[in-house]
Amino acid sequence: MTSHAVRARDTPGRTAAPQPFEGALFVDLDGQRARYECLRPGCPHRQEGPVCSSDRVKSEDGTPVPRGPGGVAAFVDGIKAYHLSKYHGSTR
């Protein structure tokens, strides 16, 4: 290790600056409900969801069926990228 690296390591207060939170994803412990809250200043649409496994959605033939845990998992997997691209023009 170089002397510069040692000084940086041993200098109090030389830590990486914390990154601000951009959003919060809430999922209950059994995976039956989820929602996303955007924490960016000025966001026009602060909350996505909530979605519940018991929500009724239309199937391919148009009949209502429960969303199920797979629907909640799909929401969790894609909501941040969807929200950021729709309301903030990026996926980051």
Side-chain angles (χ1 to χ4, degrees):
M1 194 179 293
T2 67
S3 61
H4 177 72
V6 171
R7 275 196 312 271
R9 180 196 66 199
D10 295 337
T11 305
R14 298 277 302 204
T15 60
Q19 297 297 317
F21 290 102
E22 294 180 346
L25 179 64
F26 299 91
V27 182
D28 67 0
L29 292 176
D30 58 354
Q32 300 296 310
R33 292 176 297 279
R35 67 184 161 89
Y36 175 80
E37 289 185 15
C38 182
L39 302 175
R40 288 185 175 197
C43 179
H45 191 76
R46 305 286 295 178
Q47 182 171 316
E48 299 286 349
V51 296
C52 299
S53 63
S54 61
D55 289 347
R56 305 218 35 88
V57 295
K58 289 187 178 181
S59 66
E60 291 179 6
D61 65 0
T63 59
V65 296
R67 179 184 308 272
V72 175
F75 174 84
V76 168
D77 288 343
I79 191 58
K80 181 181 177 187
Y82 167 80
H83 177 86
L84 293 178
S85 66
K86 183 169 183 176
Y87 296 105
H88 301 287
S90 73
T91 57
R92 300 191 65 160

